[in-house]
Amino acid sequence: MRRTTSPFSLVLLGLGTFLLVLAPLLAWYVEPRAAVNPIDIDTTAVYTGKGSVFDTDRIETVPDRKITVTQRVRGNVEDSERSGKTVWDVTTTVDTDKSLPAADPHDALEFIPHRWVMDRKTTRPAHCCGEKPYIEGEAYLKFPFDVRKRSYQWWDNSLGDTIVLRYRGTEKVQGYTGYRFTGSVPPTRTGTRMVPGSIVDQPKRPQVLAEEWYSNHGFELVVDQATGRVLYAQTGPRRTLRAPGGKKDAAVLLDSRKISFTTETQKEAVRQAERDSGQLRLIGVTLPIGAAVAGFVLAVLGGVLVARGRKEPEQPTPSETPDTPQPTLTM
């Protein structure tokens, strides 16, 4: 008897081996390269809250006003492809009901355009492509992928510096669980502004180079662990003016204990986080495990079939053919 290998068993063995090789490639090679910050982003986040604002018509601070902060982020695809980095152009407007709706964002209470450039994989700031201001830290607008349970250096654009956001456990946003981080900013001088002297309690001086001060009652961010996307954001800005060398605030420009994501912004952030984290989980976990299990089963089955083979009887050779009596010719 001799053994022959079935083509079917070879196919099973080859397919199983391929899946076993594919599984770690998906987890260790494909998934990390899929976790990159997009260059074609176009998204808008809206915050609302109440607080005090400086009314330029009345030349005084007015309390209990609705405050709306609109932050639009658009990717600059051309500069991103040229630099190999992620280039996002960001505009932030601060409005009251008095300036909404505005045909021109420059009519807002505050209008702040800037550009953020980052590494596509790590989210670390990259300094090129007309970046303004010079952003530092580990995170801004979003966290890195695969968020850890630790403190992060978060860029506060109003402060012009980084602050520490500390991990505070998990919290649900619209039914979706994320990591919660909090932080605050003590009163800090951030610059100067030329204003009428009467605004900073110096009525005898027509113009004064007043000091601008900024603090924050508290930041609260809830972040998707897989993608680093911010699901919920809350801030409590306070911006004031002081006379040169003054020890106390002379005028309040903006003060709110809580300005936070609207419900619509939360829902959209959760929707995108579910989609993106689901894709990463599919590539990095579900498919590798499935490929490894299926590959192991097919490889074992194919190997067993190859080892056992199929027995076939051997054909006798001419030399092994026994002599047979030859018929006798008779006349």
Side-chain angles (χ1 to χ4, degrees):
M1 305 292 287
R2 69 178 181 181
R3 299 176 184 272
T4 61
T5 300
S6 167
F8 178 68
S9 62
L10 293 177
V11 170
L12 289 180
L13 181 59
L15 182 59
T17 302
F18 169 76
L19 291 176
L20 287 174
V21 173
L22 179 64
L25 284 177
L26 288 172
W28 300 332
Y29 184 84
V30 177
E31 192 270 344
R33 284 159 178 76
V36 294
N37 293 303
I39 63 175
D40 58 349
I41 189 172
D42 189 348
T43 184
T44 301
V46 180
Y47 303 65
T48 58
K50 284 196 171 184
S52 302
V53 297
F54 190 83
D55 190 317
T56 55
D57 293 332
R58 297 167 58 175
I59 316 298
E60 64 179 357
T61 301
V62 182
D64 199 31
R65 289 293 185 266
K66 182 181 179 181
I67 300 170
T68 300
V69 178
T70 305
Q71 190 172 65
R72 184 172 187 183
V73 182
R74 302 185 67 180
N76 190 307
V77 176
E78 183 179 353
D79 286 354
S80 296
E81 291 178 340
R82 183 169 58 248
S83 65
K85 308 297 182 182
T86 296
V87 181
W88 289 356
D89 291 319
V90 186
T91 57
T92 303
T93 57
V94 181
D95 290 279
T96 61
D97 287 342
K98 182 179 178 180
S99 59
L100 283 176
D104 187 343
H106 294 81
D107 296 335
L109 187 66
E110 289 186 10
F111 173 72
I112 309 167
H114 56 286
R115 168 171 283 194
W116 183 30
V117 184
M118 75 189 101
D119 184 277
R120 294 201 66 191
K121 297 178 182 178
T122 67
T123 314
R124 288 274 187 175
H127 307 298
C128 71
C129 316
E131 172 208 20
K132 186 179 181 180
Y134 190 92
I135 294 174
E136 299 179 291
E138 299 174 282
Y140 173 54
L141 301 181
K142 75 176 294 291
F143 277 62
F145 292 92
D146 192 21
V147 180
R148 303 297 183 177
K149 297 178 179 180
R150 64 171 179 84
S151 297
Y152 281 84
Q153 293 288 330
W154 175 268
W155 176 260
D156 181 352
N157 205 51
S158 295
L159 178 64
D161 202 350
T162 59
I163 65 170
V164 177
L165 291 184
R166 292 179 171 81
Y167 174 73
R168 302 297 188 186
T170 61
E171 186 167 314
K172 286 191 175 183
V173 177
Q174 303 296 322
Y176 188 86
T177 301
Y179 285 2
R180 178 173 175 263
F181 296 85
T182 64
S184 61
V185 180
T188 306
R189 179 179 170 177
T190 57
T192 57
R193 179 186 298 194
M194 189 67 72
V195 299
S198 59
I199 292 180
V200 291
D201 300 328
Q202 295 188 359
K204 294 182 179 180
R205 301 178 62 182
Q207 294 288 321
V208 174
L209 189 62
E211 298 177 358
E212 291 185 320
W213 284 70
Y214 165 78
S215 61
N216 200 294
H217 299 292
F219 284 95
E220 180 179 343
L221 301 177
V222 181
V223 182
D224 178 41
Q225 188 276 329
T227 65
R229 180 182 293 276
V230 176
L231 308 172
Y232 173 83
Q234 175 182 315
T235 181
R238 177 178 171 85
R239 300 184 65 179
T240 62
L241 293 177
R242 296 184 184 183
K247 299 299 183 182
K248 63 179 182 179
D249 297 331
V252 174
L253 302 178
L254 174 68
D255 188 16
S256 176
R257 287 278 177 179
K258 178 182 177 181
I259 302 175
S260 60
F261 271 5
T262 63
T263 301
E264 291 74 16
T265 296
Q266 293 176 41
K267 289 181 178 179
E268 178 61 17
V270 168
R271 185 191 69 79
Q272 294 186 26
E274 287 180 325
R275 179 199 63 195
D276 296 343
S277 61
Q279 292 174 349
L280 291 177
R281 186 166 54 252
L282 178 66
I283 298 173
V285 179
T286 306
L287 288 180
I289 292 177
V293 172
F296 176 77
V297 172
L298 293 176
V300 169
L301 182 60
V304 169
L305 292 177
V306 168
R308 298 170 82 180
R310 180 166 61 88
K311 294 181 180 180
E312 291 183 352
E314 297 182 359
Q315 297 297 324
T317 62
S319 60
E320 295 174 341
T321 302
D323 293 335
T324 57
Q326 298 296 320
T328 301
L329 180 62
T330 58
M331 296 296 295

